[in-house]
Amino acid sequence: LFKSHHCVILVLGYDFQELTEGIFLSIENLFLCSVLLNFCASTVKMELKKAAGMSDAALAGAISGGLTRALLSPVDVIKIRFQLQLEPIQRHNVISKYSGIRQAVKMIYTEEGLAALWKGHVPAQILSIIYGGVQFATFETTRKAVVNLYPSIGDNAVYTSALNTWCGSLAGISATCTCHPFDVIRTRLVGQGEPKMYRGITHAVVQMYKESGIRTFYKGLVPTLTQIGPYMGLQFGIYTTSVALWKRLSGETKRNSTVLFLAGMLSGLCSKLAVLPFDLVKKRLQVVGFHDARIPFGRTQVYPGMIRCFLIVYREEGFLGFYKGASVALIKVSKLLTILKYTV
């Protein structure tokens, strides 16, 4: 456990020092930060597995995941701000609130203070914890029930793979529906400037319920559910295809960590880019009815639904409008969570 604690200290010192100098969110710095965090997390989990047991390793994974989310919370804030901005994100664009990553960090720090880079962090942590629990419980329960009904399914590799994919999709849908209200709250807390419309989570929940009842907490749910299937399919498909192609070309049959690393990164990047338009539409729908808090950031737009939102974004912002915040979103992919999922 103590073999990698200096790595955490290094990340903490590096992270906040760069942040105070106004250059924390450069692509190179964040990539290094995320790689170091995941290296630390995997090392801690391996050491605990050796020293104690799986329960301690699970606890270490939860703690390391929470630490990673806390340190990279500014990435989420910048990404969401970019996605909600209707004006183009271009350097030297006088009509845009945010024109680039460094400029956005500097402006948020100047106008709202350092704590603004951690807006929405609490509901994001709650979302992460509940999502993981619901997803795991649903997957295990569903898979066990199917295997009990059809015991022979475990003897067929193709059926087993299909079962895992189906149970994984169902688990993802269940977890998304359960945790979506926290995502909406997080988006709105991040999307508001100063003075704040919501003073905190409790105040946000009360005001959002007054807005249009329980439906407010499920705005943007349709595009969220729509992207689950393509995301999982692309991620799994690209990963397995890449590994199989390498084995065929190289002739090797042994497990190669480097190949798994690259295949995991490729599948994560491609699947994330493919569904990013749905993520942007989700964010835009989540702030419908929240326009008073968005006025200081520029133009606002009312979207009647998912399809109309896609059409309006394409008409007014072009195809690249769907990829606002893409560079920041890919930093999160570089955390290598996809790779760890297949290699740990």
mmCIF file of all heavy atoms in Angstrom, residues 48-91:
data_model
loop_
_atom_site.group_PDB
_atom_site.id
_atom_site.type_symbol
_atom_site.label_atom_id
_atom_site.label_comp_id
_atom_site.label_asym_id
_atom_site.label_seq_id
_atom_site.Cartn_x
_atom_site.Cartn_y
_atom_site.Cartn_z
ATOM 1 N N LEU A 48 -3.093 -4.546 -1.974
ATOM 2 C CA LEU A 48 -4.084 -4.954 -0.985
ATOM 3 C C LEU A 48 -4.585 -6.374 -1.243
ATOM 4 O O LEU A 48 -4.913 -7.108 -0.317
ATOM 5 C CB LEU A 48 -5.256 -3.972 -0.985
ATOM 6 C CG LEU A 48 -5.000 -2.658 -0.214
ATOM 7 C CD1 LEU A 48 -6.134 -1.689 -0.438
ATOM 8 C CD2 LEU A 48 -4.815 -2.935 1.267
ATOM 9 N N LYS A 49 -4.664 -6.754 -2.502
ATOM 10 C CA LYS A 49 -5.070 -8.124 -2.816
ATOM 11 C C LYS A 49 -4.064 -9.123 -2.245
ATOM 12 O O LYS A 49 -4.420 -10.177 -1.736
ATOM 13 C CB LYS A 49 -5.179 -8.309 -4.339
ATOM 14 C CG LYS A 49 -6.443 -7.710 -4.935
ATOM 15 C CD LYS A 49 -6.469 -7.937 -6.430
ATOM 16 C CE LYS A 49 -7.728 -7.341 -7.046
ATOM 17 N NZ LYS A 49 -7.763 -7.523 -8.507
ATOM 18 N N LYS A 50 -2.788 -8.747 -2.330
ATOM 19 C CA LYS A 50 -1.756 -9.629 -1.812
ATOM 20 C C LYS A 50 -1.771 -9.654 -0.282
ATOM 21 O O LYS A 50 -1.600 -10.688 0.334
ATOM 22 C CB LYS A 50 -0.384 -9.166 -2.297
ATOM 23 C CG LYS A 50 -0.186 -9.267 -3.799
ATOM 24 C CD LYS A 50 1.165 -8.692 -4.198
ATOM 25 C CE LYS A 50 1.360 -8.717 -5.717
ATOM 26 N NZ LYS A 50 2.644 -8.100 -6.111
ATOM 27 N N ALA A 51 -1.965 -8.461 0.327
ATOM 28 C CA ALA A 51 -1.824 -8.345 1.777
ATOM 29 C C ALA A 51 -3.071 -8.779 2.530
ATOM 30 O O ALA A 51 -2.990 -9.346 3.600
ATOM 31 C CB ALA A 51 -1.474 -6.908 2.152
ATOM 32 N N ALA A 52 -4.246 -8.500 1.998
ATOM 33 C CA ALA A 52 -5.475 -8.779 2.759
ATOM 34 C C ALA A 52 -6.439 -9.631 1.958
ATOM 35 O O ALA A 52 -6.322 -10.841 1.909
ATOM 36 C CB ALA A 52 -6.125 -7.459 3.165
ATOM 37 N N GLY A 53 -7.374 -9.001 1.304
ATOM 38 C CA GLY A 53 -8.373 -9.782 0.588
ATOM 39 C C GLY A 53 -9.126 -8.925 -0.401
ATOM 40 O O GLY A 53 -8.852 -7.735 -0.572
ATOM 41 N N MET A 54 -10.126 -9.533 -1.053
ATOM 42 C CA MET A 54 -10.866 -8.839 -2.098
ATOM 43 C C MET A 54 -11.699 -7.692 -1.548
ATOM 44 O O MET A 54 -11.897 -6.693 -2.216
ATOM 45 C CB MET A 54 -11.764 -9.843 -2.834
ATOM 46 C CG MET A 54 -10.996 -10.863 -3.645
ATOM 47 S SD MET A 54 -9.941 -10.103 -4.911
ATOM 48 C CE MET A 54 -11.197 -9.408 -5.981
ATOM 49 N N SER A 55 -12.200 -7.813 -0.309
ATOM 50 C CA SER A 55 -13.017 -6.733 0.252
ATOM 51 C C SER A 55 -12.194 -5.472 0.435
ATOM 52 O O SER A 55 -12.644 -4.365 0.136
ATOM 53 C CB SER A 55 -13.613 -7.165 1.590
ATOM 54 O OG SER A 55 -12.587 -7.489 2.519
ATOM 55 N N ASP A 56 -10.953 -5.623 0.920
ATOM 56 C CA ASP A 56 -10.082 -4.467 1.073
ATOM 57 C C ASP A 56 -9.696 -3.890 -0.286
ATOM 58 O O ASP A 56 -9.574 -2.685 -0.455
ATOM 59 C CB ASP A 56 -8.814 -4.854 1.834
ATOM 60 C CG ASP A 56 -9.099 -5.105 3.300
ATOM 61 O OD1 ASP A 56 -10.045 -4.492 3.822
ATOM 62 O OD2 ASP A 56 -8.384 -5.917 3.913
ATOM 63 N N ALA A 57 -9.504 -4.778 -1.253
ATOM 64 C CA ALA A 57 -9.167 -4.315 -2.596
ATOM 65 C C ALA A 57 -10.323 -3.528 -3.196
ATOM 66 O O ALA A 57 -10.124 -2.523 -3.879
ATOM 67 C CB ALA A 57 -8.826 -5.505 -3.491
ATOM 68 N N ALA A 58 -11.554 -3.982 -2.943
ATOM 69 C CA ALA A 58 -12.724 -3.264 -3.432
ATOM 70 C C ALA A 58 -12.821 -1.883 -2.792
ATOM 71 O O ALA A 58 -13.149 -0.893 -3.450
ATOM 72 C CB ALA A 58 -13.992 -4.062 -3.144
ATOM 73 N N LEU A 59 -12.506 -1.831 -1.480
ATOM 74 C CA LEU A 59 -12.514 -0.549 -0.780
ATOM 75 C C LEU A 59 -11.458 0.383 -1.349
ATOM 76 O O LEU A 59 -11.698 1.578 -1.553
ATOM 77 C CB LEU A 59 -12.265 -0.771 0.715
ATOM 78 C CG LEU A 59 -12.180 0.495 1.588
ATOM 79 C CD1 LEU A 59 -13.486 1.283 1.512
ATOM 80 C CD2 LEU A 59 -11.847 0.130 3.018
ATOM 81 N N ALA A 60 -10.290 -0.177 -1.625
ATOM 82 C CA ALA A 60 -9.224 0.631 -2.217
ATOM 83 C C ALA A 60 -9.630 1.150 -3.592
ATOM 84 O O ALA A 60 -9.345 2.297 -3.948
ATOM 85 C CB ALA A 60 -7.947 -0.210 -2.338
ATOM 86 N N GLY A 61 -10.313 0.287 -4.366
ATOM 87 C CA GLY A 61 -10.779 0.724 -5.679
ATOM 88 C C GLY A 61 -11.774 1.859 -5.581
ATOM 89 O O GLY A 61 -11.738 2.808 -6.365
ATOM 90 N N ALA A 62 -12.678 1.770 -4.583
ATOM 91 C CA ALA A 62 -13.670 2.832 -4.395
ATOM 92 C C ALA A 62 -13.001 4.142 -3.994
ATOM 93 O O ALA A 62 -13.345 5.215 -4.495
ATOM 94 C CB ALA A 62 -14.677 2.408 -3.330
ATOM 95 N N ILE A 63 -12.012 4.042 -3.089
ATOM 96 C CA ILE A 63 -11.313 5.243 -2.635
ATOM 97 C C ILE A 63 -10.511 5.865 -3.768
ATOM 98 O O ILE A 63 -10.540 7.077 -3.979
ATOM 99 C CB ILE A 63 -10.387 4.910 -1.444
ATOM 100 C CG1 ILE A 63 -11.221 4.491 -0.234
ATOM 101 C CG2 ILE A 63 -9.507 6.106 -1.090
ATOM 102 C CD1 ILE A 63 -10.402 3.988 0.931
ATOM 103 N N SER A 64 -9.803 5.028 -4.512
ATOM 104 C CA SER A 64 -9.001 5.549 -5.619
ATOM 105 C C SER A 64 -9.889 6.146 -6.705
ATOM 106 O O SER A 64 -9.555 7.170 -7.307
ATOM 107 C CB SER A 64 -8.114 4.446 -6.204
ATOM 108 O OG SER A 64 -8.899 3.406 -6.747
ATOM 109 N N GLY A 65 -11.054 5.507 -6.938
ATOM 110 C CA GLY A 65 -11.987 6.063 -7.918
ATOM 111 C C GLY A 65 -12.528 7.407 -7.482
ATOM 112 O O GLY A 65 -12.653 8.339 -8.286
ATOM 113 N N GLY A 66 -12.841 7.524 -6.186
ATOM 114 C CA GLY A 66 -13.320 8.798 -5.661
ATOM 115 C C GLY A 66 -12.263 9.874 -5.738
ATOM 116 O O GLY A 66 -12.550 11.034 -6.067
ATOM 117 N N LEU A 67 -11.019 9.501 -5.452
ATOM 118 C CA LEU A 67 -9.917 10.457 -5.532
ATOM 119 C C LEU A 67 -9.697 10.916 -6.963
ATOM 120 O O LEU A 67 -9.486 12.105 -7.226
ATOM 121 C CB LEU A 67 -8.637 9.807 -4.988
ATOM 122 C CG LEU A 67 -7.361 10.650 -5.055
ATOM 123 C CD1 LEU A 67 -7.511 11.907 -4.200
ATOM 124 C CD2 LEU A 67 -6.154 9.840 -4.600
ATOM 125 N N THR A 68 -9.762 9.975 -7.894
ATOM 126 C CA THR A 68 -9.593 10.327 -9.300
ATOM 127 C C THR A 68 -10.674 11.293 -9.764
ATOM 128 O O THR A 68 -10.395 12.296 -10.425
ATOM 129 C CB THR A 68 -9.642 9.051 -10.177
ATOM 130 O OG1 THR A 68 -8.628 8.153 -9.744
ATOM 131 C CG2 THR A 68 -9.425 9.390 -11.639
ATOM 132 N N ARG A 69 -11.923 11.013 -9.393
ATOM 133 C CA ARG A 69 -13.021 11.890 -9.780
ATOM 134 C C ARG A 69 -12.862 13.270 -9.158
ATOM 135 O O ARG A 69 -13.148 14.290 -9.790
ATOM 136 C CB ARG A 69 -14.360 11.276 -9.373
ATOM 137 C CG ARG A 69 -15.562 12.139 -9.706
ATOM 138 C CD ARG A 69 -16.862 11.438 -9.403
ATOM 139 N NE ARG A 69 -17.178 10.448 -10.421
ATOM 140 C CZ ARG A 69 -17.786 10.728 -11.558
ATOM 141 N NH1 ARG A 69 -18.123 11.973 -11.843
ATOM 142 N NH2 ARG A 69 -18.059 9.777 -12.423
ATOM 143 N N ALA A 70 -12.392 13.306 -7.910
ATOM 144 C CA ALA A 70 -12.218 14.595 -7.230
ATOM 145 C C ALA A 70 -11.147 15.436 -7.907
ATOM 146 O O ALA A 70 -11.327 16.633 -8.146
ATOM 147 C CB ALA A 70 -11.866 14.366 -5.761
ATOM 148 N N LEU A 71 -10.028 14.801 -8.244
ATOM 149 C CA LEU A 71 -8.930 15.533 -8.858
ATOM 150 C C LEU A 71 -9.238 15.962 -10.283
ATOM 151 O O LEU A 71 -8.766 16.997 -10.749
ATOM 152 C CB LEU A 71 -7.663 14.676 -8.836
ATOM 153 C CG LEU A 71 -7.020 14.469 -7.462
ATOM 154 C CD1 LEU A 71 -5.831 13.539 -7.567
ATOM 155 C CD2 LEU A 71 -6.585 15.792 -6.863
ATOM 156 N N LEU A 72 -10.034 15.165 -10.987
ATOM 157 C CA LEU A 72 -10.356 15.483 -12.371
ATOM 158 C C LEU A 72 -11.715 16.158 -12.530
ATOM 159 O O LEU A 72 -12.232 16.272 -13.634
ATOM 160 C CB LEU A 72 -10.296 14.214 -13.225
ATOM 161 C CG LEU A 72 -8.908 13.572 -13.350
ATOM 162 C CD1 LEU A 72 -8.966 12.341 -14.222
ATOM 163 C CD2 LEU A 72 -7.904 14.571 -13.900
ATOM 164 N N SER A 73 -12.296 16.599 -11.422
ATOM 165 C CA SER A 73 -13.573 17.308 -11.497
ATOM 166 C C SER A 73 -13.511 18.539 -12.401
ATOM 167 O O SER A 73 -14.472 18.829 -13.122
ATOM 168 C CB SER A 73 -14.030 17.710 -10.092
ATOM 169 O OG SER A 73 -15.258 18.403 -10.134
ATOM 170 N N PRO A 74 -12.398 19.308 -12.395
ATOM 171 C CA PRO A 74 -12.320 20.445 -13.329
ATOM 172 C C PRO A 74 -12.506 20.050 -14.783
ATOM 173 O O PRO A 74 -13.008 20.838 -15.591
ATOM 174 C CB PRO A 74 -10.912 21.001 -13.074
ATOM 175 C CG PRO A 74 -10.613 20.632 -11.661
ATOM 176 C CD PRO A 74 -11.244 19.286 -11.475
ATOM 177 N N VAL A 75 -12.122 18.829 -15.141
ATOM 178 C CA VAL A 75 -12.309 18.360 -16.518
ATOM 179 C C VAL A 75 -13.796 18.298 -16.843
ATOM 180 O O VAL A 75 -14.236 18.730 -17.915
ATOM 181 C CB VAL A 75 -11.661 16.969 -16.703
ATOM 182 C CG1 VAL A 75 -11.886 16.469 -18.121
ATOM 183 C CG2 VAL A 75 -10.185 17.032 -16.378
ATOM 184 N N ASP A 76 -14.589 17.759 -15.916
ATOM 185 C CA ASP A 76 -16.039 17.686 -16.118
ATOM 186 C C ASP A 76 -16.649 19.077 -16.225
ATOM 187 O O ASP A 76 -17.531 19.321 -17.061
ATOM 188 C CB ASP A 76 -16.697 16.934 -14.959
ATOM 189 C CG ASP A 76 -16.762 15.436 -15.196
ATOM 190 O OD1 ASP A 76 -16.887 15.035 -16.373
ATOM 191 O OD2 ASP A 76 -16.675 14.677 -14.226
ATOM 192 N N VAL A 77 -16.206 19.986 -15.375
ATOM 193 C CA VAL A 77 -16.750 21.346 -15.378
ATOM 194 C C VAL A 77 -16.498 22.013 -16.733
ATOM 195 O O VAL A 77 -17.418 22.592 -17.335
ATOM 196 C CB VAL A 77 -16.145 22.181 -14.243
ATOM 197 C CG1 VAL A 77 -16.567 23.647 -14.367
ATOM 198 C CG2 VAL A 77 -16.577 21.629 -12.885
ATOM 199 N N ILE A 78 -15.269 21.926 -17.218
ATOM 200 C CA ILE A 78 -14.940 22.547 -18.506
ATOM 201 C C ILE A 78 -15.712 21.891 -19.640
ATOM 202 O O ILE A 78 -16.244 22.555 -20.536
ATOM 203 C CB ILE A 78 -13.421 22.453 -18.766
ATOM 204 C CG1 ILE A 78 -12.649 23.193 -17.680
ATOM 205 C CG2 ILE A 78 -13.088 23.043 -20.134
ATOM 206 C CD1 ILE A 78 -12.991 24.645 -17.548
ATOM 207 N N LYS A 79 -15.796 20.563 -19.623
ATOM 208 C CA LYS A 79 -16.509 19.846 -20.691
ATOM 209 C C LYS A 79 -17.977 20.261 -20.747
ATOM 210 O O LYS A 79 -18.519 20.540 -21.829
ATOM 211 C CB LYS A 79 -16.409 18.335 -20.483
ATOM 212 C CG LYS A 79 -17.120 17.504 -21.554
ATOM 213 C CD LYS A 79 -16.962 16.019 -21.317
ATOM 214 C CE LYS A 79 -17.900 15.516 -20.240
ATOM 215 N NZ LYS A 79 -19.313 15.434 -20.702
ATOM 216 N N ILE A 80 -18.623 20.304 -19.591
ATOM 217 C CA ILE A 80 -20.041 20.657 -19.552
ATOM 218 C C ILE A 80 -20.250 22.105 -19.988
ATOM 219 O O ILE A 80 -21.191 22.419 -20.734
ATOM 220 C CB ILE A 80 -20.615 20.417 -18.143
ATOM 221 C CG1 ILE A 80 -20.636 18.914 -17.838
ATOM 222 C CG2 ILE A 80 -22.031 20.987 -18.027
ATOM 223 C CD1 ILE A 80 -21.021 18.576 -16.408
ATOM 224 N N ARG A 81 -19.376 23.013 -19.539
ATOM 225 C CA ARG A 81 -19.491 24.414 -19.953
ATOM 226 C C ARG A 81 -19.350 24.545 -21.467
ATOM 227 O O ARG A 81 -20.067 25.312 -22.109
ATOM 228 C CB ARG A 81 -18.425 25.261 -19.244
ATOM 229 C CG ARG A 81 -18.626 25.423 -17.733
ATOM 230 C CD ARG A 81 -19.700 26.433 -17.414
ATOM 231 N NE ARG A 81 -19.923 26.569 -15.987
ATOM 232 C CZ ARG A 81 -19.359 27.505 -15.208
ATOM 233 N NH1 ARG A 81 -18.525 28.381 -15.741
ATOM 234 N NH2 ARG A 81 -19.647 27.566 -13.923
ATOM 235 N N PHE A 82 -18.431 23.800 -22.054
ATOM 236 C CA PHE A 82 -18.252 23.835 -23.507
ATOM 237 C C PHE A 82 -19.480 23.287 -24.224
ATOM 238 O O PHE A 82 -19.923 23.829 -25.242
ATOM 239 C CB PHE A 82 -17.023 23.010 -23.907
ATOM 240 C CG PHE A 82 -15.715 23.714 -23.712
ATOM 241 C CD1 PHE A 82 -15.652 24.950 -23.082
ATOM 242 C CD2 PHE A 82 -14.528 23.144 -24.134
ATOM 243 C CE1 PHE A 82 -14.441 25.610 -22.886
ATOM 244 C CE2 PHE A 82 -13.309 23.787 -23.951
ATOM 245 C CZ PHE A 82 -13.272 25.018 -23.329
ATOM 246 N N GLN A 83 -20.027 22.187 -23.713
ATOM 247 C CA GLN A 83 -21.183 21.576 -24.362
ATOM 248 C C GLN A 83 -22.417 22.451 -24.302
ATOM 249 O O GLN A 83 -23.264 22.408 -25.211
ATOM 250 C CB GLN A 83 -21.470 20.218 -23.716
ATOM 251 C CG GLN A 83 -20.439 19.144 -24.048
ATOM 252 C CD GLN A 83 -20.738 17.835 -23.367
ATOM 253 O OE1 GLN A 83 -21.161 17.783 -22.210
ATOM 254 N NE2 GLN A 83 -20.535 16.734 -24.073
ATOM 255 N N LEU A 84 -22.551 23.229 -23.261
ATOM 256 C CA LEU A 84 -23.733 24.083 -23.110
ATOM 257 C C LEU A 84 -23.609 25.398 -23.874
ATOM 258 O O LEU A 84 -24.610 26.084 -24.063
ATOM 259 C CB LEU A 84 -23.972 24.383 -21.627
ATOM 260 C CG LEU A 84 -24.337 23.181 -20.736
ATOM 261 C CD1 LEU A 84 -24.529 23.634 -19.293
ATOM 262 C CD2 LEU A 84 -25.602 22.490 -21.239
ATOM 263 N N GLN A 85 -22.429 25.743 -24.314
ATOM 264 C CA GLN A 85 -22.225 27.005 -25.028
ATOM 265 C C GLN A 85 -22.660 26.887 -26.483
ATOM 266 O O GLN A 85 -22.194 26.017 -27.212
ATOM 267 C CB GLN A 85 -20.755 27.425 -24.952
ATOM 268 C CG GLN A 85 -20.442 28.705 -25.710
ATOM 269 C CD GLN A 85 -19.033 29.186 -25.454
ATOM 270 O OE1 GLN A 85 -18.691 29.573 -24.342
ATOM 271 N NE2 GLN A 85 -18.182 29.152 -26.474
ATOM 272 N N LEU A 86 -23.545 27.772 -26.908
ATOM 273 C CA LEU A 86 -24.043 27.745 -28.279
ATOM 274 C C LEU A 86 -23.064 28.391 -29.248
ATOM 275 O O LEU A 86 -22.993 28.014 -30.425
ATOM 276 C CB LEU A 86 -25.397 28.451 -28.376
ATOM 277 C CG LEU A 86 -26.639 27.595 -28.080
ATOM 278 C CD1 LEU A 86 -26.639 27.095 -26.641
ATOM 279 C CD2 LEU A 86 -27.912 28.397 -28.351
ATOM 280 N N GLU A 87 -22.327 29.388 -28.786
ATOM 281 C CA GLU A 87 -21.352 30.059 -29.631
ATOM 282 C C GLU A 87 -20.159 29.142 -29.898
ATOM 283 O O GLU A 87 -19.866 28.253 -29.097
ATOM 284 C CB GLU A 87 -20.861 31.354 -28.963
ATOM 285 C CG GLU A 87 -21.912 32.443 -28.857
ATOM 286 C CD GLU A 87 -22.878 32.219 -27.705
ATOM 287 O OE1 GLU A 87 -22.618 31.322 -26.879
ATOM 288 O OE2 GLU A 87 -23.885 32.935 -27.624
ATOM 289 N N PRO A 88 -19.458 29.356 -31.018
ATOM 290 C CA PRO A 88 -18.314 28.481 -31.349
ATOM 291 C C PRO A 88 -17.178 28.621 -30.338
ATOM 292 O O PRO A 88 -16.960 29.707 -29.785
ATOM 293 C CB PRO A 88 -17.885 28.969 -32.739
ATOM 294 C CG PRO A 88 -18.416 30.369 -32.843
ATOM 295 C CD PRO A 88 -19.690 30.378 -32.062
ATOM 296 N N ILE A 89 -16.484 27.524 -30.106
ATOM 297 C CA ILE A 89 -15.327 27.542 -29.207
ATOM 298 C C ILE A 89 -14.081 27.682 -30.070
ATOM 299 O O ILE A 89 -13.497 26.695 -30.526
ATOM 300 C CB ILE A 89 -15.281 26.257 -28.352
ATOM 301 C CG1 ILE A 89 -16.553 26.141 -27.525
ATOM 302 C CG2 ILE A 89 -14.054 26.251 -27.439
ATOM 303 C CD1 ILE A 89 -16.702 24.847 -26.777
ATOM 304 N N GLN A 90 -13.707 28.925 -30.310
ATOM 305 C CA GLN A 90 -12.568 29.229 -31.167
ATOM 306 C C GLN A 90 -11.756 30.355 -30.549
ATOM 307 O O GLN A 90 -12.301 31.248 -29.897
ATOM 308 C CB GLN A 90 -13.046 29.658 -32.571
ATOM 309 C CG GLN A 90 -13.831 28.596 -33.304
ATOM 310 C CD GLN A 90 -14.422 29.121 -34.602
ATOM 311 O OE1 GLN A 90 -14.473 30.326 -34.837
ATOM 312 N NE2 GLN A 90 -14.869 28.208 -35.453
ATOM 313 N N ARG A 91 -10.468 30.286 -30.761
ATOM 314 C CA ARG A 91 -9.594 31.320 -30.240
ATOM 315 C C ARG A 91 -9.885 32.654 -30.919
ATOM 316 O O ARG A 91 -10.195 32.700 -32.106
ATOM 317 C CB ARG A 91 -8.125 30.949 -30.448
ATOM 318 C CG ARG A 91 -7.662 29.787 -29.583
ATOM 319 C CD ARG A 91 -6.178 29.535 -29.765
ATOM 320 N NE ARG A 91 -5.718 28.445 -28.931
ATOM 321 C CZ ARG A 91 -4.458 28.017 -28.885
ATOM 322 N NH1 ARG A 91 -3.537 28.597 -29.631
ATOM 323 N NH2 ARG A 91 -4.127 27.021 -28.082
#
